[in-house]
Short mmCIF file of all heavy atoms in Angstrom, two decimals:
data_model
loop_
_atom_site.label_atom_id
_atom_site.label_comp_id
_atom_site.label_asym_id
_atom_site.label_seq_id
_atom_site.Cartn_x
_atom_site.Cartn_y
_atom_site.Cartn_z
N LEU A 30 -2.72 5.59 -28.09
CA LEU A 30 -1.47 6.32 -28.22
C LEU A 30 -0.52 5.94 -27.09
O LEU A 30 -0.96 5.82 -25.95
CB LEU A 30 -1.76 7.82 -28.17
CG LEU A 30 -0.58 8.76 -28.23
CD1 LEU A 30 -0.91 9.91 -29.16
CD2 LEU A 30 -0.21 9.29 -26.88
N VAL A 31 0.73 5.75 -27.42
CA VAL A 31 1.78 5.50 -26.43
C VAL A 31 2.94 6.43 -26.75
O VAL A 31 3.41 6.46 -27.89
CB VAL A 31 2.28 4.04 -26.47
CG1 VAL A 31 3.43 3.83 -25.50
CG2 VAL A 31 1.16 3.07 -26.16
N ALA A 32 3.38 7.20 -25.76
CA ALA A 32 4.55 8.06 -25.92
C ALA A 32 5.50 7.76 -24.76
O ALA A 32 5.06 7.69 -23.61
CB ALA A 32 4.14 9.53 -25.90
N ASN A 33 6.77 7.56 -25.07
CA ASN A 33 7.71 7.27 -23.99
C ASN A 33 9.10 7.76 -24.32
O ASN A 33 9.41 8.11 -25.46
CB ASN A 33 7.71 5.78 -23.65
CG ASN A 33 8.08 4.89 -24.81
OD1 ASN A 33 8.94 5.22 -25.62
ND2 ASN A 33 7.45 3.75 -24.90
N MET A 34 9.92 7.76 -23.28
CA MET A 34 11.33 8.08 -23.42
C MET A 34 12.09 7.27 -22.37
O MET A 34 11.53 6.91 -21.33
CB MET A 34 11.61 9.56 -23.25
CG MET A 34 11.27 10.12 -21.90
SD MET A 34 11.89 11.77 -21.64
CE MET A 34 13.60 11.43 -21.42
N ASP A 35 13.35 6.98 -22.68
CA ASP A 35 14.14 6.24 -21.72
C ASP A 35 15.54 6.83 -21.64
O ASP A 35 15.94 7.64 -22.47
CB ASP A 35 14.19 4.75 -22.05
CG ASP A 35 14.81 4.45 -23.41
OD1 ASP A 35 15.11 5.39 -24.18
OD2 ASP A 35 15.02 3.27 -23.71
N TYR A 36 16.27 6.40 -20.60
CA TYR A 36 17.59 6.96 -20.35
C TYR A 36 18.39 5.95 -19.55
O TYR A 36 17.86 5.32 -18.63
CB TYR A 36 17.44 8.28 -19.57
CG TYR A 36 18.73 9.00 -19.30
CD1 TYR A 36 19.51 9.50 -20.33
CD2 TYR A 36 19.17 9.20 -18.00
CE1 TYR A 36 20.69 10.18 -20.08
CE2 TYR A 36 20.34 9.89 -17.73
CZ TYR A 36 21.10 10.37 -18.78
OH TYR A 36 22.26 11.04 -18.53
N GLY A 37 19.64 5.78 -19.89
CA GLY A 37 20.54 4.92 -19.15
C GLY A 37 21.71 5.74 -18.61
O GLY A 37 22.16 6.68 -19.25
N TRP A 38 22.18 5.40 -17.40
CA TRP A 38 23.29 6.13 -16.81
C TRP A 38 24.01 5.22 -15.82
O TRP A 38 23.55 4.12 -15.52
CB TRP A 38 22.80 7.42 -16.15
CG TRP A 38 21.93 7.25 -14.95
CD1 TRP A 38 22.34 7.29 -13.65
CD2 TRP A 38 20.52 7.02 -14.91
NE1 TRP A 38 21.26 7.12 -12.81
CE2 TRP A 38 20.13 6.94 -13.56
CE3 TRP A 38 19.54 6.87 -15.89
CZ2 TRP A 38 18.82 6.73 -13.15
CZ3 TRP A 38 18.23 6.66 -15.49
CH2 TRP A 38 17.89 6.59 -14.14
N ILE A 39 25.10 5.71 -15.31
CA ILE A 39 25.86 4.99 -14.28
C ILE A 39 25.73 5.78 -12.99
O ILE A 39 25.95 6.99 -12.95
CB ILE A 39 27.33 4.83 -14.68
CG1 ILE A 39 27.42 3.97 -15.94
CG2 ILE A 39 28.13 4.21 -13.54
CD1 ILE A 39 28.81 3.84 -16.52
N TRP A 40 25.33 5.09 -11.90
CA TRP A 40 25.16 5.71 -10.59
C TRP A 40 25.81 4.80 -9.56
O TRP A 40 25.52 3.61 -9.51
CB TRP A 40 23.68 5.90 -10.30
CG TRP A 40 23.39 6.51 -8.97
CD1 TRP A 40 23.69 7.77 -8.57
CD2 TRP A 40 22.75 5.87 -7.87
NE1 TRP A 40 23.27 7.97 -7.28
CE2 TRP A 40 22.68 6.80 -6.82
CE3 TRP A 40 22.22 4.61 -7.66
CZ2 TRP A 40 22.12 6.52 -5.59
CZ3 TRP A 40 21.66 4.32 -6.44
CH2 TRP A 40 21.61 5.27 -5.42
N GLN A 41 26.71 5.35 -8.76
CA GLN A 41 27.42 4.58 -7.74
C GLN A 41 28.12 3.36 -8.36
O GLN A 41 28.19 2.30 -7.75
CB GLN A 41 26.46 4.12 -6.64
CG GLN A 41 25.73 5.23 -5.92
CD GLN A 41 26.65 5.98 -4.97
OE1 GLN A 41 27.51 5.40 -4.35
NE2 GLN A 41 26.44 7.29 -4.88
N GLY A 42 28.59 3.51 -9.59
CA GLY A 42 29.29 2.43 -10.27
C GLY A 42 28.39 1.34 -10.82
O GLY A 42 28.87 0.31 -11.30
N LYS A 43 27.07 1.55 -10.79
CA LYS A 43 26.10 0.56 -11.27
C LYS A 43 25.38 1.10 -12.50
O LYS A 43 25.07 2.28 -12.59
CB LYS A 43 25.05 0.23 -10.20
CG LYS A 43 25.61 -0.21 -8.87
CD LYS A 43 26.29 -1.55 -8.97
CE LYS A 43 26.78 -2.00 -7.60
NZ LYS A 43 27.73 -3.07 -7.68
N ASN A 44 25.10 0.20 -13.45
CA ASN A 44 24.29 0.57 -14.61
C ASN A 44 22.84 0.74 -14.17
O ASN A 44 22.28 -0.13 -13.49
CB ASN A 44 24.38 -0.49 -15.70
CG ASN A 44 25.74 -0.57 -16.33
OD1 ASN A 44 26.41 0.45 -16.51
ND2 ASN A 44 26.17 -1.76 -16.66
N VAL A 45 22.23 1.86 -14.59
CA VAL A 45 20.85 2.16 -14.24
C VAL A 45 20.12 2.53 -15.52
O VAL A 45 20.68 3.17 -16.41
CB VAL A 45 20.76 3.33 -13.23
CG1 VAL A 45 19.32 3.63 -12.85
CG2 VAL A 45 21.57 3.03 -11.99
N TYR A 46 18.86 2.10 -15.62
CA TYR A 46 18.03 2.39 -16.78
C TYR A 46 16.69 2.89 -16.28
O TYR A 46 16.12 2.33 -15.33
CB TYR A 46 17.85 1.12 -17.62
CG TYR A 46 16.80 1.23 -18.69
CD1 TYR A 46 17.08 1.88 -19.90
CD2 TYR A 46 15.53 0.71 -18.51
CE1 TYR A 46 16.12 1.98 -20.88
CE2 TYR A 46 14.56 0.80 -19.49
CZ TYR A 46 14.87 1.44 -20.67
OH TYR A 46 13.91 1.55 -21.64
N GLY A 47 16.15 3.94 -16.90
CA GLY A 47 14.83 4.46 -16.53
C GLY A 47 13.96 4.67 -17.76
O GLY A 47 14.46 4.94 -18.85
N LEU A 48 12.67 4.53 -17.57
CA LEU A 48 11.69 4.69 -18.66
C LEU A 48 10.49 5.44 -18.10
O LEU A 48 10.03 5.16 -16.99
CB LEU A 48 11.24 3.32 -19.17
CG LEU A 48 10.07 3.32 -20.15
CD1 LEU A 48 10.59 3.62 -21.56
CD2 LEU A 48 9.35 1.98 -20.14
N LEU A 49 9.96 6.38 -18.86
CA LEU A 49 8.75 7.10 -18.52
C LEU A 49 7.81 6.99 -19.72
O LEU A 49 8.23 7.21 -20.86
CB LEU A 49 9.06 8.57 -18.21
CG LEU A 49 7.93 9.40 -17.65
CD1 LEU A 49 7.47 8.85 -16.30
CD2 LEU A 49 8.38 10.85 -17.50
N GLU A 50 6.53 6.64 -19.46
CA GLU A 50 5.61 6.38 -20.57
C GLU A 50 4.22 6.92 -20.26
O GLU A 50 3.73 6.81 -19.14
CB GLU A 50 5.55 4.87 -20.81
CG GLU A 50 4.64 4.46 -21.95
CD GLU A 50 4.81 2.99 -22.27
OE1 GLU A 50 5.69 2.67 -23.09
OE2 GLU A 50 4.07 2.17 -21.69
N PHE A 51 3.58 7.47 -21.30
CA PHE A 51 2.18 7.89 -21.23
C PHE A 51 1.38 7.02 -22.18
O PHE A 51 1.81 6.77 -23.31
CB PHE A 51 2.03 9.37 -21.65
CG PHE A 51 0.60 9.80 -21.77
CD1 PHE A 51 -0.15 10.08 -20.63
CD2 PHE A 51 -0.01 9.89 -23.00
CE1 PHE A 51 -1.49 10.46 -20.74
CE2 PHE A 51 -1.33 10.27 -23.13
CZ PHE A 51 -2.08 10.55 -22.00
N TYR A 52 0.22 6.54 -21.73
CA TYR A 52 -0.63 5.68 -22.56
C TYR A 52 -2.04 6.25 -22.57
O TYR A 52 -2.59 6.58 -21.51
CB TYR A 52 -0.64 4.25 -22.01
CG TYR A 52 -1.65 3.34 -22.64
CD1 TYR A 52 -1.62 3.04 -24.00
CD2 TYR A 52 -2.66 2.75 -21.88
CE1 TYR A 52 -2.55 2.20 -24.57
CE2 TYR A 52 -3.59 1.90 -22.44
CZ TYR A 52 -3.53 1.62 -23.79
OH TYR A 52 -4.46 0.78 -24.36
N TYR A 53 -2.62 6.37 -23.76
CA TYR A 53 -4.00 6.82 -23.92
C TYR A 53 -4.78 5.71 -24.61
O TYR A 53 -4.39 5.23 -25.67
CB TYR A 53 -4.08 8.11 -24.75
CG TYR A 53 -5.50 8.51 -25.04
CD1 TYR A 53 -6.27 9.15 -24.07
CD2 TYR A 53 -6.09 8.22 -26.26
CE1 TYR A 53 -7.58 9.50 -24.32
CE2 TYR A 53 -7.40 8.58 -26.52
CZ TYR A 53 -8.14 9.21 -25.55
OH TYR A 53 -9.45 9.55 -25.79
N ASN A 54 -5.90 5.30 -23.99
CA ASN A 54 -6.76 4.26 -24.53
C ASN A 54 -8.11 4.88 -24.85
O ASN A 54 -8.92 5.12 -23.96
CB ASN A 54 -6.90 3.14 -23.48
CG ASN A 54 -7.93 2.11 -23.86
OD1 ASN A 54 -8.34 2.01 -25.00
ND2 ASN A 54 -8.35 1.33 -22.87
N GLY A 55 -8.35 5.15 -26.12
CA GLY A 55 -9.60 5.79 -26.54
C GLY A 55 -10.82 4.91 -26.34
O GLY A 55 -11.95 5.40 -26.37
N LEU A 56 -10.64 3.63 -26.13
CA LEU A 56 -11.75 2.73 -25.87
C LEU A 56 -12.13 2.73 -24.39
O LEU A 56 -13.21 2.30 -24.02
CB LEU A 56 -11.37 1.31 -26.31
CG LEU A 56 -12.46 0.26 -26.41
CD1 LEU A 56 -13.56 0.70 -27.37
CD2 LEU A 56 -11.89 -1.07 -26.84
N GLY A 57 -11.25 3.23 -23.55
CA GLY A 57 -11.46 3.21 -22.10
C GLY A 57 -12.53 4.19 -21.64
O GLY A 57 -13.03 5.02 -22.40
N SER A 58 -12.84 4.08 -20.36
CA SER A 58 -13.86 4.92 -19.74
C SER A 58 -13.48 5.16 -18.28
O SER A 58 -12.79 4.34 -17.68
CB SER A 58 -15.22 4.22 -19.81
OG SER A 58 -16.16 4.87 -19.00
N ASP A 59 -13.95 6.27 -17.71
CA ASP A 59 -13.73 6.52 -16.29
C ASP A 59 -14.78 5.81 -15.44
O ASP A 59 -14.69 5.79 -14.23
CB ASP A 59 -13.72 8.02 -16.00
CG ASP A 59 -12.50 8.69 -16.63
OD1 ASP A 59 -11.49 8.01 -16.86
OD2 ASP A 59 -12.58 9.90 -16.89
N GLN A 60 -15.79 5.24 -16.08
CA GLN A 60 -16.81 4.41 -15.40
C GLN A 60 -16.45 2.96 -15.70
O GLN A 60 -16.89 2.38 -16.67
CB GLN A 60 -18.21 4.75 -15.93
CG GLN A 60 -18.62 6.18 -15.72
CD GLN A 60 -18.65 6.53 -14.24
OE1 GLN A 60 -19.10 5.75 -13.40
NE2 GLN A 60 -18.13 7.71 -13.90
N TYR A 61 -15.63 2.36 -14.82
CA TYR A 61 -15.03 1.06 -15.11
C TYR A 61 -16.05 -0.05 -15.23
O TYR A 61 -15.86 -0.99 -16.01
CB TYR A 61 -13.98 0.72 -14.05
CG TYR A 61 -13.01 1.85 -13.86
CD1 TYR A 61 -12.93 2.52 -12.66
CD2 TYR A 61 -12.22 2.28 -14.92
CE1 TYR A 61 -12.06 3.58 -12.51
CE2 TYR A 61 -11.36 3.34 -14.78
CZ TYR A 61 -11.28 3.99 -13.57
OH TYR A 61 -10.42 5.05 -13.43
N SER A 62 -17.15 0.03 -14.50
CA SER A 62 -18.15 -1.02 -14.60
C SER A 62 -18.80 -1.04 -15.99
O SER A 62 -19.32 -2.07 -16.41
CB SER A 62 -19.22 -0.87 -13.51
OG SER A 62 -19.85 0.38 -13.62
N ASP A 63 -18.76 0.08 -16.73
CA ASP A 63 -19.29 0.12 -18.09
C ASP A 63 -18.51 -0.79 -19.03
O ASP A 63 -19.03 -1.22 -20.06
CB ASP A 63 -19.28 1.55 -18.64
CG ASP A 63 -20.29 2.44 -17.96
OD1 ASP A 63 -21.15 1.92 -17.22
OD2 ASP A 63 -20.21 3.67 -18.16
N ALA A 64 -17.27 -1.09 -18.70
CA ALA A 64 -16.45 -1.94 -19.56
C ALA A 64 -17.08 -3.31 -19.74
O ALA A 64 -16.96 -3.92 -20.80
CB ALA A 64 -15.05 -2.10 -18.97
N PHE A 65 -17.79 -3.80 -18.72
CA PHE A 65 -18.38 -5.13 -18.79
C PHE A 65 -19.68 -5.13 -19.59
O PHE A 65 -20.26 -6.19 -19.83
CB PHE A 65 -18.61 -5.68 -17.38
CG PHE A 65 -17.31 -5.83 -16.63
CD1 PHE A 65 -16.93 -4.89 -15.69
CD2 PHE A 65 -16.45 -6.87 -16.92
CE1 PHE A 65 -15.72 -5.01 -15.02
CE2 PHE A 65 -15.25 -7.00 -16.26
CZ PHE A 65 -14.87 -6.07 -15.31
N LYS A 66 -20.12 -3.96 -20.03
CA LYS A 66 -21.30 -3.85 -20.89
C LYS A 66 -20.90 -3.57 -22.34
O LYS A 66 -21.74 -3.62 -23.22
CB LYS A 66 -22.19 -2.69 -20.40
CG LYS A 66 -22.70 -2.86 -19.00
CD LYS A 66 -23.47 -1.60 -18.60
CE LYS A 66 -23.71 -1.54 -17.12
NZ LYS A 66 -24.27 -0.25 -16.70
N ASP A 67 -19.64 -3.26 -22.57
CA ASP A 67 -19.15 -2.89 -23.91
C ASP A 67 -18.52 -4.11 -24.59
O ASP A 67 -17.46 -4.58 -24.18
CB ASP A 67 -18.11 -1.77 -23.79
CG ASP A 67 -17.69 -1.21 -25.13
OD1 ASP A 67 -17.81 -1.91 -26.15
OD2 ASP A 67 -17.22 -0.06 -25.15
N PRO A 68 -19.17 -4.62 -25.65
CA PRO A 68 -18.62 -5.82 -26.31
C PRO A 68 -17.23 -5.59 -26.93
O PRO A 68 -16.42 -6.52 -27.00
CB PRO A 68 -19.65 -6.15 -27.40
CG PRO A 68 -20.47 -4.91 -27.56
CD PRO A 68 -20.39 -4.16 -26.27
N ASN A 69 -16.92 -4.35 -27.33
CA ASN A 69 -15.60 -4.06 -27.88
C ASN A 69 -14.51 -4.20 -26.83
O ASN A 69 -13.43 -4.71 -27.11
CB ASN A 69 -15.57 -2.65 -28.48
CG ASN A 69 -16.44 -2.54 -29.70
OD1 ASN A 69 -16.30 -3.29 -30.64
ND2 ASN A 69 -17.38 -1.61 -29.66
N VAL A 70 -14.79 -3.74 -25.62
CA VAL A 70 -13.82 -3.87 -24.52
C VAL A 70 -13.69 -5.33 -24.12
O VAL A 70 -12.58 -5.85 -23.98
CB VAL A 70 -14.24 -3.00 -23.31
CG1 VAL A 70 -13.34 -3.27 -22.12
CG2 VAL A 70 -14.20 -1.53 -23.68
N LEU A 71 -14.81 -6.03 -23.93
CA LEU A 71 -14.77 -7.44 -23.53
C LEU A 71 -14.00 -8.30 -24.53
O LEU A 71 -13.22 -9.17 -24.15
CB LEU A 71 -16.19 -7.98 -23.35
CG LEU A 71 -16.97 -7.42 -22.17
CD1 LEU A 71 -18.40 -7.93 -22.17
CD2 LEU A 71 -16.27 -7.77 -20.87
N GLU A 72 -14.23 -8.03 -25.82
CA GLU A 72 -13.53 -8.79 -26.86
C GLU A 72 -12.02 -8.58 -26.77
O GLU A 72 -11.23 -9.53 -26.84
CB GLU A 72 -14.04 -8.33 -28.23
CG GLU A 72 -13.40 -9.00 -29.41
CD GLU A 72 -13.92 -8.45 -30.73
OE1 GLU A 72 -14.99 -7.80 -30.74
OE2 GLU A 72 -13.24 -8.66 -31.74
N ARG A 73 -11.58 -7.35 -26.55
CA ARG A 73 -10.15 -7.05 -26.48
C ARG A 73 -9.51 -7.54 -25.17
O ARG A 73 -8.37 -7.95 -25.15
CB ARG A 73 -9.92 -5.56 -26.70
CG ARG A 73 -10.00 -5.23 -28.18
CD ARG A 73 -10.42 -3.81 -28.49
NE ARG A 73 -10.52 -3.63 -29.92
CZ ARG A 73 -11.59 -3.96 -30.64
NH1 ARG A 73 -12.65 -4.50 -30.08
NH2 ARG A 73 -11.60 -3.76 -31.94
N LEU A 74 -10.28 -7.51 -24.09
CA LEU A 74 -9.77 -8.07 -22.83
C LEU A 74 -9.57 -9.58 -22.96
O LEU A 74 -8.56 -10.12 -22.53
CB LEU A 74 -10.74 -7.79 -21.68
CG LEU A 74 -10.75 -6.37 -21.12
CD1 LEU A 74 -11.92 -6.19 -20.15
CD2 LEU A 74 -9.44 -6.04 -20.44
N SER A 75 -10.53 -10.27 -23.58
CA SER A 75 -10.42 -11.73 -23.73
C SER A 75 -9.27 -12.14 -24.64
O SER A 75 -8.68 -13.20 -24.46
CB SER A 75 -11.74 -12.33 -24.22
OG SER A 75 -11.98 -11.95 -25.56
N ARG A 76 -8.94 -11.30 -25.61
CA ARG A 76 -7.80 -11.60 -26.51
C ARG A 76 -6.47 -11.13 -25.95
O ARG A 76 -5.42 -11.33 -26.56
CB ARG A 76 -8.02 -10.93 -27.88
CG ARG A 76 -9.10 -11.54 -28.70
CD ARG A 76 -9.05 -11.08 -30.14
NE ARG A 76 -9.02 -9.66 -30.31
CZ ARG A 76 -9.87 -8.96 -31.06
NH1 ARG A 76 -10.86 -9.58 -31.68
NH2 ARG A 76 -9.74 -7.67 -31.19
N GLY A 77 -6.49 -10.43 -24.82
CA GLY A 77 -5.26 -9.93 -24.23
C GLY A 77 -4.74 -8.67 -24.89
O GLY A 77 -3.61 -8.26 -24.66
N GLU A 78 -5.57 -8.00 -25.67
CA GLU A 78 -5.17 -6.75 -26.32
C GLU A 78 -5.20 -5.58 -25.35
O GLU A 78 -4.48 -4.61 -25.53
CB GLU A 78 -6.09 -6.44 -27.50
CG GLU A 78 -5.92 -7.35 -28.67
CD GLU A 78 -6.89 -7.00 -29.79
OE1 GLU A 78 -7.31 -5.83 -29.91
OE2 GLU A 78 -7.23 -7.93 -30.54
#
Side-chain angles (χ1 to χ4, degrees):
L30 178 137
V31 176
N33 59 37
M34 63 169 286
D35 61 353
Y36 183 63
W38 67 97
I39 296 174
W40 179 67
Q41 301 286 324
K43 306 293 183 196
N44 292 324
V45 181
Y46 169 79
L48 171 82
L49 189 62
E50 181 171 272
F51 172 78
Y52 171 62
Y53 174 79
N54 172 16
L56 192 57
S58 169
D59 292 336
Q60 300 299 318
Y61 309 116
S62 59
D63 290 348
F65 298 102
K66 300 175 194 172
D67 187 336
N69 293 305
V70 173
L71 291 175
E72 179 182 342
R73 281 154 183 83
L74 284 170
S75 69
R76 289 194 308 234
E78 290 179 27

